[in-house]
Amino acid sequence: MAANPPTGPGNIEIFAKRDMVAIEGYAAQAGQKADITVTRGGSVIGMTSGTVDTTGFLEVNHPGGVCWGMVTPNIQGGDEVKVQFADGSSDGAVTGSAKIDSVEKVELPATAAAGDVEGQVVVKGTYGEDVDPARMEVEIVNPDMRDMGIGERAIGWPSDDAPTTYAVEGTAANNEFTVTYGFFSAAERDAAFAGDPAVATWQADATGGVEMQLGLTISEFKEIDGPGFGGCPAGPTGQAANPPANVFASANGSGSITATWKPATVPADAPAITGYKLVAKDTLLNQEVSTYVGADATTATLRGLLDGQEYPVEVVAMNGQSSSTAASGGTVRVSDAEPTASGAPAAASGVNVQDGSMAGSAEVTWTAAAANGSAVTGYRVDAIATDGTVAAKADAGAGATSATVTGLTAGTEYGFVVTAISTVGETPAEPVQHTVGSPELTAPTAPTVVRVVPGNGSANVEWQSATAGNTPITGYVLTATPESGAPINVEAAANATSASLTGLTNGTTYTLNLVATSAAGNSEPASFGSNASVTLTPNDQLTGTAEFRTREREWRVSGSASITTSNTITITNADGARIGTATVGADGAWTYRGRNSTSAYTPTIKVTSSAGGAATINATSRR
């Protein structure tokens, strides 16, 4: 998949339809608090915390586990699950996009011949570019099948064991998959159709540890999408809108109040805004006066209020629910006088400056400015150099009371000016002088390489980001050093989590090194997770599928190779018996078919190429 898988030995499993997450195998973090978040496009859509049990296990949104806080996120393909442990270690996985779209039952004529397929169940679905079809399984589970001729509670494609009590074949190409299960009686077909189909995808194959499939996503066709389990919070379709921002209310003359606001937002996947309600509370009669406006409105006026009386004012956003909390516009005294012209806001007060956590930065705080007939729309913080020029600045929102200014020079004095802004004008506060400190710069922590994928004269390397010291990460340098000869270096951006090495020599072993760079120097060399080798040998890259038809003792094997010139594929079974050979075509494809084979069926076979490639692939069997 496109993003980093867990580093192991622990694993993260995501049940997309149930909005459930399970972490297991984190025995080193047993007894620790784990913070689990789900993000989409950089925004958090779900979070919770729980204690890892003695086996390294914790579940979210499942009996015996913890609930999501506030809202149960509707987890979808591409959402990232992150786990942060109390000891500072962390892990993560990305939700796979594969899903089943339909499950159909097919009637076939019954025959007297044994072993003839008399009914089928066809499963169809889709997947995105994040999914490697070689890391995908489609399964049907029904315990009733165990007591039938099928003899198994779960049947799948591609199957690890050769099925003899049912038939299965499938394809996955062009972001679609189709799997056809064949059964030897209508009753067995009906039992499979009544079962629970699911598609599983994973990010990496582990060589050991708690699971063989790391970063596992399971999408269950019959599960209801979205709800919280039991007493857990509802899904986003039942979530109210967030309160509108920057509400400002003022007397508008003749017994009226006018309020303005910034549009409200809704939680991820929650219903869209349908409108707003402006409310003035009559504290003398203990009742409310209100008016409704549409979803696109950012202002409303209430009339018929009592001149001379004070009214607390609120704005409520609606999306089929009420907003979780009303946004206050303050208390307004109604007057029959014509409203005075709006002016610039008052100056912010209580400005304080101290060094920020990063070298060359300052943290500026203040007390909010009072409006003057028009809402404060934001703040600007300027760092003024001794020559009067603006050396750096930061912008902050209407409700902000702090901002971080970066890009400053250590040991230099600046005058920090906080300016309150409205549509009418701007008002600066008095400058506060502060000399930025000169701490000793510290380099980033070492990144962690989580996956190394050799290619044809190339390789792709993925890593989990380093953590900056007190100066920003400026990039990454990936180096591949051969046993003899010059190393190959690749530079990556500061936000990169992968890089591709090209120009490698097939058959040559390279040693990898990755460092994060900064103004303080490079990090220590990266560590390598359990699924990433510090060495790689690029070569011809082979893929393939294999099927053995027992009736004709026929092998059907096909696949692709990355080297297309003068390349021959040799196929053997797991016992080393030769099955046959195939020639790679100009498009990289190769195919072998051989009947009456003397090579016995084995669940895996090996393919090697004359260009130096090798791969072990799963083999299925059918009658």
Side-chain angles (χ1 to χ4, degrees):
M1 292 172 63
N4 295 333
T7 57
N11 191 29
I12 297 174
E13 296 181 353
I14 305 166
F15 296 80
K17 294 287 282 292
R18 286 192 273 173
D19 303 322
M20 169 189 164
V21 170
I23 65 172
E24 58 181 335
Y26 295 93
Q29 288 77 31
Q32 293 186 23
K33 177 187 175 185
D35 295 324
I36 302 176
T37 59
V38 183
T39 59
R40 180 181 304 160
S43 299
V44 175
I45 64 171
M47 62 174 59
T48 189
S49 297
T51 301
V52 181
D53 73 11
T54 56
T55 67
F57 181 76
L58 176 63
E59 284 183 313
V60 185
N61 201 35
H62 193 260
V66 297
C67 292
W68 294 107
M70 301 297 291
V71 59
T72 296
N74 183 20
I75 300 176
Q76 301 175 8
D79 293 347
E80 185 172 3
V81 176
K82 298 180 180 179
V83 184
Q84 179 72 50
F85 297 103
D87 64 4
S89 61
S90 62
D91 216 337
V94 174
T95 308
S97 61
K99 62 184 181 70
I100 296 174
D101 296 322
S102 66
V103 180
E104 299 178 353
K105 182 168 60 175
V106 179
E107 303 278 354
L108 295 176
T111 70
D116 278 355
V117 172
E118 297 182 358
Q120 294 176 328
V121 173
V122 181
V123 180
K124 295 182 178 181
T126 57
Y127 60 92
E129 297 301 324
D130 59 299
V131 171
D132 180 354
R135 294 183 177 134
M136 178 168 66
E137 289 181 349
V138 178
E139 186 176 64
I140 297 176
V141 178
N142 187 349
D144 293 343
M145 298 187 303
R146 189 162 39 200
D147 300 324
M148 308 178 77
I150 297 171
E152 302 178 39
R153 67 179 295 277
I155 56 177
W157 170 85
S159 55
D160 294 329
D161 300 315
T164 57
T165 56
Y166 66 96
V168 60
E169 57 184 16
T171 60
N174 301 318
N175 303 112
E176 297 180 342
F177 63 87
T178 299
V179 180
T180 301
Y181 296 91
F183 303 96
F184 305 141
S185 73
E188 293 171 353
R189 176 209 56 208
D190 292 343
F193 185 70
D196 294 318
V199 56
T201 59
W202 56 97
Q203 291 181 264
D205 298 303
T207 56
V210 65
E211 286 285 351
M212 297 303 292
Q213 300 167 341
L214 295 179
L216 180 65
T217 298
I218 300 174
S219 179
E220 300 155 297
F221 178 65
K222 293 185 177 180
E223 283 290 338
I224 299 173
D225 199 8
F229 177 84
C232 289
T237 56
Q239 291 297 306
N242 298 317
N246 203 26
V247 176
F248 179 78
S250 60
N252 198 36
S254 302
S256 65
I257 289 174
T258 294
T260 60
W261 58 87
K262 286 188 175 181
T265 59
V266 295
D269 303 314
I273 298 293
T274 58
Y276 297 89
K277 180 172 73 168
L278 172 61
V279 179
K281 295 184 176 181
D282 189 330
T283 56
L284 298 180
L285 299 178
N286 196 27
Q287 63 185 19
E288 295 181 348
V289 181
S290 61
T291 188
Y292 294 85
V293 291
D296 296 329
T298 55
T299 185
T301 298
L302 275 174
R303 295 180 174 85
L305 303 177
L306 184 62
D307 289 333
Q309 184 170 322
E310 290 187 342
Y311 293 84
V313 178
E314 296 176 342
V315 178
V316 176
M318 299 169 292
N319 66 336
Q321 320 287 324
S322 291
S323 63
S324 54
T325 57
S328 173
T331 298
V332 179
R333 180 181 293 275
V334 176
S335 172
D336 60 358
E338 288 297 318
T340 58
S342 299
S349 60
V351 177
N352 182 65
V353 184
Q354 60 184 10
D355 286 345
S357 59
M358 301 292 284
S361 70
E363 186 73 19
V364 184
T365 60
W366 62 86
T367 299
N372 185 17
S374 180
V376 175
T377 58
Y379 296 88
R380 184 181 67 253
V381 182
D382 295 315
I384 309 297
T386 55
D387 63 359
T389 61
V390 177
K393 68 177 183 177
D395 295 318
T401 56
S402 68
T404 301
V405 183
T406 60
L408 305 174
T409 301
T412 301
E413 184 181 36
Y414 299 91
F416 290 86
V417 178
V418 177
T419 300
I421 302 169
S422 75
T423 56
V424 176
E426 302 180 356
T427 304
E430 288 295 320
V432 173
Q433 299 299 125
H434 178 77
T435 300
V436 179
S438 303
E440 181 180 351
L441 299 183
T442 56
T445 63
T448 299
V449 176
V450 295
R451 183 159 57 176
V452 178
V453 183
N456 175 23
S458 64
N460 192 67
V461 179
E462 298 178 0
W463 60 85
Q464 289 183 342
S465 301
T467 300
N470 64 356
T471 187
I473 294 171
T474 56
Y476 293 88
V477 177
L478 174 64
T479 303
T481 304
E483 296 168 337
S484 62
I488 294 177
N489 295 319
V490 173
E491 296 182 0
N495 61 350
T497 56
S498 67
S500 295
L501 290 160
T502 58
L504 306 180
T505 302
N506 282 344
T508 296
T509 299
Y510 293 82
T511 300
L512 297 176
N513 183 59
L514 175 71
V515 295
T517 62
S518 75
N522 295 344
S523 70
E524 292 295 319
S527 59
F528 283 72
S530 58
N531 307 299
S533 173
V534 71
T535 61
L536 70 91
T537 305
N539 244 320
D540 186 20
Q541 299 301 298
L542 306 179
T543 64
T545 60
E547 180 183 76
F548 184 72
R549 301 199 171 193
T550 57
R551 183 174 297 172
E552 300 88 2
R553 296 196 59 80
E554 178 187 18
W555 279 103
R556 295 188 176 188
V557 190
S558 61
S560 65
S562 57
I563 296 178
T564 59
T565 303
S566 302
N567 197 2
T568 301
I569 304 297
T570 300
I571 310 162
T572 58
N573 69 9
D575 299 326
R578 184 186 177 95
I579 294 173
T581 61
T583 300
V584 178
D587 60 354
W590 53 267
T591 300
Y592 171 81
R593 285 193 178 185
R595 284 195 171 191
N596 300 317
S597 176
T598 59
S599 300
Y601 169 78
T602 54
T604 61
I605 65 172
K606 185 175 182 180
V607 294
T608 58
S609 72
S610 59
T616 299
I617 61 177
N618 293 328
T620 60
S621 176
R622 59 173 294 186
R623 295 183 180 182

